[in-house]
Amino acid sequence: MNAPAPRKIAAATLAGTTLEWYDFFLYGTASALIFNKQFFPSLSPTVGTLAAFSTFAVGFIARPLGGLVFGHFGDRIGRKSTLVVSLMLMGVGSTLIGLIPNYQAIGIWAPILLVAMRIVQGIGLGGEGAGATLMSMEHAPAGQRNRYAGFPQMGTPAGLVLANLLFLGSSAVMPASAFAAWGWRIPFLLSFVLVAIGLMIRLRITESPSFTRAAQDDKVVRFPLGAAFKVGFGRLALTLLVGVANSAVAYVFMVFTLSYGTQSLHYDRQFLILSVTGSAVLWFATIPLWTRIADRHGRRHMFVAGSAALLLWCLAFFPLLNTGNTGLAMLALAGMGLVVPITHCVQGAIIADTFPVNVRFSGMSLLLQGGAILGGGLAPMIATAVLNATGSTTGITWYLAAICGVSMVSAMALFRLVPSDATESTMDGQRGGGAVPLSVNTGPTGRDDH
């Protein structure tokens, strides 16, 4: 039986990550609009929203645990089996969220169970983020590593679109009171069906050829995470900070905007959900363009320029949103959909190429999930707290601008630390256990494709 073509592998990783992010973002939308009343009814609207966002952040805190566990076994026994288990965990966690009684029914056990299932979600996604990127990238043809590493990244906006459309569709077919009482559960319960479909697709893919070669060459290590630290603290710290801004900005515009826009600016909920969804469509559609540019011309200048664009749009985002004008609000969100993918599409490849293949899953998971906590996990809570303390979004704007500046400077320092002409002398399957440079292949133009 012939192995699936690289494009089929990439499509399978995209399908799986879409379903994982669907479940994760569905929780984010519900935490912004529903969970404060269903699970924290005794609190004020602001404090209830903060409590709901804190349960949202719990998923990010659990992600490194999932990343470490799945990363260890992904480097020890292979990428494929870990990706199957991670998808199953996410499906179980999301389905059970749809079955949890609210606070009025079981009291304090309602938010406790909600947090427990959010932890399960976080563990599942912690294994997915690095694994899917590696599975696709390590099947990539020569000179197309950025493009193939970008396929799983497309699952992030695709999952957001799917979650928002099903959430919006469910709310549109019933009275608002019925949706708030029980209708919000429908998209969570649908996770069971969607994940079952995803598992059928994922079970048909083949193991990463890079991992297979490493196993055949007896280069699998007993404790891959410990070996990953041989890269060096300086490079690890810089690589971690590179991805923080994208995560923080994305979660402010995808999650915080929904609560802020409806409660403080009184935008229509359906309008905001549709606007965020449209922005996610732009995000999804432009990733192939940016990854192709990265493969042809190198990703370094593109990443730094994208970081600058992200910073500048953060300065404009809330002033446009705060006008109360629906057209300018759509422009603010659409702009995010255009600038976020410039850095998002290649950050997975940047992190992956920090490590040799035999410790790559563990090392990438550590940095990817650590950056997610520092960026996206805390961002909605910080934004809500700043707004509550100051009554203004000015502090949020400067918080986002500062974190964008940190990521941009970190990227510039990282790229100086690893020379652009650094290349590997061998392919993945022949790598040793030490750190590898960011540049590993040369594309058809002869340029560094990373």
Side-chain angles (χ1 to χ4, degrees):
M1 181 177 177
N2 294 330
R7 288 188 179 183
K8 291 184 179 180
I9 298 292
T13 60
L14 170 58
T17 52
T18 297
L19 296 177
E20 293 254 14
W21 283 109
Y22 160 79
D23 288 330
F24 206 75
F25 283 136
L26 186 61
Y27 190 102
T29 302
S31 67
L33 301 174
I34 297 293
F35 286 166
N36 59 337
K37 297 177 181 178
Q38 287 292 309
F39 294 95
F40 307 98
S42 62
L43 304 177
S44 69
T46 297
V47 178
T49 299
L50 271 172
F53 280 154
S54 69
T55 66
F56 178 73
V58 164
F60 286 84
I61 296 171
R63 281 169 63 174
L65 175 60
L68 294 178
V69 172
F70 284 105
H72 176 82
F73 289 104
D75 284 329
R76 294 276 295 162
I77 65 175
R79 319 312 196 199
K80 177 181 175 178
S81 57
T82 57
L83 288 174
V84 170
V85 175
S86 71
L87 188 59
M88 290 175 62
L89 272 182
M90 180 63 84
V92 169
S94 297
T95 302
L96 291 179
I97 286 173
L99 298 174
I100 298 173
N102 62 17
Y103 187 90
Q104 290 181 338
I106 60 174
I108 191 64
W109 283 105
I112 289 175
L113 290 173
L114 184 67
V115 169
M117 291 305 101
R118 183 59 173 172
I119 290 173
V120 172
Q121 278 192 323
I123 291 173
L125 190 61
E128 178 73 19
T133 299
L134 295 183
M135 180 65 83
S136 184
M137 188 179 79
E138 291 175 351
H139 277 91
Q144 299 185 54
R145 288 169 68 89
N146 288 300
R147 179 188 178 194
Y148 276 77
F151 273 98
Q153 306 296 79
M154 293 169 68
T156 304
L160 178 62
V161 170
L162 185 60
N164 281 354
L165 289 180
L166 283 177
F167 195 88
L168 194 62
S170 300
S171 65
V173 298
M174 63 184 69
S177 58
F179 180 76
W182 59 268
W184 63 269
R185 300 177 183 275
I186 295 174
F188 285 96
L189 296 176
L190 283 175
S191 297
F192 180 81
V193 177
L194 295 174
V195 168
I197 296 172
L199 283 173
M200 288 176 20
I201 297 173
R202 185 155 282 184
L203 286 169
R204 296 178 180 178
I205 65 177
T206 58
E207 182 55 82
S208 157
S210 298
F211 173 81
T212 300
R213 286 193 294 269
Q216 290 172 346
D217 293 341
D218 198 26
K219 292 185 177 179
V220 175
V221 297
R222 182 180 296 275
F223 185 44
L225 181 62
F229 279 97
K230 294 179 181 179
V231 167
F233 176 79
R235 186 169 174 183
L236 289 174
L238 289 173
T239 308
L240 171 68
L241 293 174
V242 160
V244 169
N246 190 276
S247 180
V249 173
Y251 280 98
V252 167
F253 113 77
M254 292 184 299
V255 177
F256 170 77
T257 298
L258 295 179
S259 63
Y260 171 67
T262 53
Q263 295 178 13
S264 299
L265 301 179
H266 307 293
Y267 284 112
D268 178 71
R269 181 175 69 181
Q270 292 188 346
F271 162 75
L272 276 182
I273 294 178
L274 282 174
S275 296
V276 171
T277 303
S279 301
V281 171
L282 290 175
W283 181 354
F284 176 89
T286 54
I287 284 179
L289 168 66
W290 296 117
T291 54
R292 186 176 293 274
I293 290 174
D295 278 326
R296 286 183 176 273
H297 305 290
R299 66 180 172 224
R300 294 172 177 233
H301 294 305
M302 188 188 84
F303 189 92
V304 173
S307 297
L310 194 63
L311 190 159
L312 291 174
W313 197 253
C314 283
L315 297 176
F317 180 70
F318 280 108
L320 289 172
L321 195 67
N322 290 342
T323 63
N325 181 287
T326 55
L328 292 178
M330 290 175 64
L331 175 63
L333 293 165
M336 283 295 188
L338 290 173
V339 298
V340 165
I342 303 175
T343 53
H344 173 252
C345 69
V346 293
Q347 71 179 26
I350 289 173
I351 296 172
D353 281 329
T354 301
F355 304 97
V357 66
N358 57 343
V359 301
R360 185 181 286 160
F361 203 147
S362 297
M364 184 179 180
S365 294
L366 176 68
L367 297 187
L368 200 62
Q369 305 312 330
I373 290 179
L374 295 176
L378 297 178
M381 288 179 60
I382 291 173
T384 302
V386 169
L387 179 66
N388 189 44
T390 65
S392 168
T393 57
T394 301
I396 304 173
T397 295
W398 289 113
Y399 156 66
L400 293 178
I403 205 168
C404 285
V406 168
S407 283
M408 182 168 63
V409 171
S410 297
M412 294 169 68
L414 177 67
F415 298 153
R416 286 176 64 87
L417 179 66
V418 183
S420 61
D421 59 351
T423 56
E424 282 185 317
S425 60
T426 54
M427 297 298 289
D428 273 343
Q430 299 170 303
R431 290 178 181 160
V436 296
L438 288 176
S439 309
V440 285
N441 287 330
T442 53
T445 63
R447 289 179 176 266
D448 166 23
D449 68 339
H450 301 299

